[in-house]
Amino acid sequence: MPASTEASTRVGAVSPVSAPDAPDSRMAPGGPGYRRMSFALFLAGVATFALLYSTQALLPLISGEFGVAASEASWTVAAATGGLALFVLPMSALSERFGRRTVMTASLAVAVTVGLLVPFAPSLPALVALRAVQGAALAGLPASATAYLAEEVRPKALVTAIGLFVAGNSVGGMSGRVITGWVAQEWGWRVAVGVIGALAVACAVAFRLLLPAPKHFTAGSLRPRVLLGTVRAHLSNPLLCRLYAIGALFMTVFGGVYTVIGYRLTEAPFSLPQGIIGSIFLVYLVGTVSASTAGRLVGRLGRRGALYAAGGTTATGLVLSLAGSLPLVLLGLVLITGGFFAGHAVASSAVSKTATHGRAQASALYQSAYYIGSSAGSTVGALAFHAGGWAGTVTVGLLAVLGVVSITVLGTRAARAEQRLATA
């Protein structure tokens, strides 16, 4: 949930196949509409993840204005990711009926409208409620974007096209935090989230003007019984359930660390200004690299070996972050980020390979688990920080990594048992 945290899972129907003698009319690099489509979805990714995490770097300022602890302010993040987690599956079903572009456009329109209201929230409960609505609206993007690509882009160009959308996710998630940090340092958190709202409006308008109309979408019917049957089948698959749990646990670590890190860095012995704290999120660039090389890691170590490596890297980063030295804390964040993105990329890609039917719903379930993990990490990590300081947050992270390793061990044993039965 994805080279970047935040949308690499595959959601959508299988690409339509042209007749043997008919030319393939789908888009390809250098062909009509491909560049417009790529830039449009890049901008959609920027808007989505800039909005989704717009308050994360600002939590100390929000705490200060409303007079609340980190555990309460963290709900401005948890509500948004929780809303997305709850609505990504229904949105995937709506996109099958009403079209990918229609759902993406409506989702962005609602999300940016709410984004312009967020700076005027009179209280913390009002702010949390607005963020929940915003997250629910944004669920239409990951539920529809890769489905649009699978239908409208030629198979050989699909990985590149999805990569550009993922790049937009990374840039949006990173820039939203960095921009808000520097703006808030001068003008406060309300102006900062207002700037992100204005940026998202510009991205949403450009997206709608640039994205080519779909030519290969075939509408389906909304049949709840069929959808529920598919979901039940996926949830009864032990491997898929393990992958969902791994994605949620990795995101628990990541959500907790990046929700609380601002509080730690504003305190002694660091006492960093808000702008510098926002710039810490440039570490996300490390995650983009680690996610893009996850395929090679799997090639060398296998899927389970890659998950062990990602978990070990994350755990090492958590331990290093306990140091009182800023360079060691930053190195710890680098390792946490690299390990998280690699593990997330491995788990999410395995979901698409494992599901033999209903891939849209399989990926949507992974995204739901992923964002539930984000909400849980934000909330539990903040509670642990309030109770035991940074060491409390690190403890939560290490327990989540232990969960990843334990689940992977179970998977290894299950695979060996299957091999023994096959050769018996």
Side-chain angles (χ1 to χ4, degrees), residues 283-340:
V283 171
Y284 268 44
L285 294 173
V286 175
T288 302
V289 174
S290 73
S292 65
T293 59
R296 278 180 283 175
L297 187 64
V298 172
R300 291 181 181 179
L301 303 177
R303 183 179 68 230
R304 287 181 289 274
L307 288 172
Y308 288 132
T313 301
T314 304
T316 302
L318 286 165
V319 173
L320 277 177
S321 72
L322 290 167
S325 163
L326 185 59
L328 285 178
V329 172
L330 294 178
L331 177 59
L333 290 177
V334 166
L335 293 176
I336 292 166
T337 304
F340 160 74

Side-chain angles (χ1 to χ4, degrees), residues 65-80:
E65 175 168 332
F66 293 120
V68 297
S71 57
E72 295 174 87
S74 69
W75 278 103
T76 64
V77 179

Side-chain angles (χ1 to χ4, degrees), residues 16 22 37 69 115 124 148 170 181 201 204 209 246 285 314 324 329 333 342 394:
M37 176 275 300
L124 183 64
Y148 174 94
S170 300
V201 168
L209 293 175
I246 286 171
L285 294 173
T314 304
V329 172
L333 290 177
V394 167

Side-chain angles (χ1 to χ4, degrees), residues 47 51 96 101 118 133 199 248 299 320 332 364-365 369 387 421:
L51 289 170
E96 297 284 354
R101 190 171 73 157
V118 165
V133 173
L199 171 66
L320 277 177
L365 286 169
L421 286 174

Side-chain angles (χ1 to χ4, degrees), residues 54 78 84 145 148 153 161 173-174 182 252 288 314 342-343 347 351 378:
S54 60
L84 194 153
Y148 174 94
V153 174
M174 179 185 68
W182 284 106
T252 298
T288 302
T314 304
V351 168
S378 299

Side-chain angles (χ1 to χ4, degrees), residues 4-299:
S4 120
T5 110
E6 307 60 9
S8 66
T9 52
R10 185 178 175 193
V11 179
V14 176
S15 300
V17 179
S18 301
D21 298 326
D24 194 335
S25 60
R26 289 170 290 178
M27 290 180 280
Y34 182 85
R35 184 174 296 179
R36 287 178 53 210
M37 176 275 300
S38 298
F39 189 48
L41 288 177
F42 174 86
L43 292 175
V46 169
T48 299
F49 287 90
L51 289 170
L52 189 63
Y53 292 102
S54 60
T55 63
Q56 193 170 55
L58 306 173
L59 294 180
L61 298 179
I62 293 172
S63 287
E65 175 168 332
F66 293 120
V68 297
S71 57
E72 295 174 87
S74 69
W75 278 103
T76 64
V77 179
T81 55
L84 194 153
L86 290 174
F87 280 85
V88 67
L89 189 60
M91 287 292 193
S92 72
L94 289 177
S95 77
E96 297 284 354
R97 175 65 181 89
F98 299 107
R100 321 304 184 188
R101 190 171 73 157
T102 299
V103 170
M104 286 189 286
T105 300
S107 293
L108 275 178
V110 174
V112 299
T113 301
V114 175
L116 295 177
L117 298 175
V118 165
F120 303 101
S123 64
L124 183 64
L127 177 59
V128 169
L130 287 170
R131 294 282 292 152
V133 173
Q134 196 171 48
L138 288 171
L141 266 295
S144 306
T146 49
Y148 174 94
L149 290 170
E151 293 162 353
E152 303 299 328
V153 174
R154 295 180 190 178
K156 290 184 178 180
L158 185 58
V159 173
T160 301
I162 290 178
L164 289 171
F165 177 61
V166 167
N169 297 341
S170 300
V171 170
M174 179 185 68
S175 61
R177 294 159 168 101
V178 173
I179 291 170
T180 55
W182 284 106
V183 173
Q185 181 173 306
E186 297 296 328
W187 296 289
W189 72 267
R190 292 181 183 274
V191 174
V193 293
V195 168
I196 294 301
L199 171 66
V201 168
C203 288
V205 171
F207 161 81
R208 186 61 182 84
L209 293 175
L210 290 171
L211 189 69
K215 297 180 180 179
H216 301 279
F217 169 74
T218 301
S221 61
L222 289 174
R223 292 178 292 176
R225 292 179 63 183
V226 174
L227 177 63
L228 289 174
T230 302
V231 169
R232 278 196 299 268
H234 290 327
L235 292 178
S236 65
N237 183 319
L239 176 53
L240 283 177
C241 287
R242 288 196 295 270
L243 292 171
Y244 297 154
I246 286 171
L249 289 167
F250 266 123
M251 193 55 170
T252 298
V253 180
F254 197 68
V257 165
Y258 278 101
T259 294
V260 174
I261 191 63
Y263 289 96
R264 188 187 185 206
L265 295 179
T266 57
E267 297 176 349
F270 308 111
S271 303
L272 298 181
Q274 188 66 42
I276 297 296
I277 291 172
S279 296
I280 295 296
F281 290 95
L282 289 169
V283 171
Y284 268 44
L285 294 173
V286 175
T288 302
V289 174
S290 73
S292 65
T293 59
R296 278 180 283 175
L297 187 64
V298 172

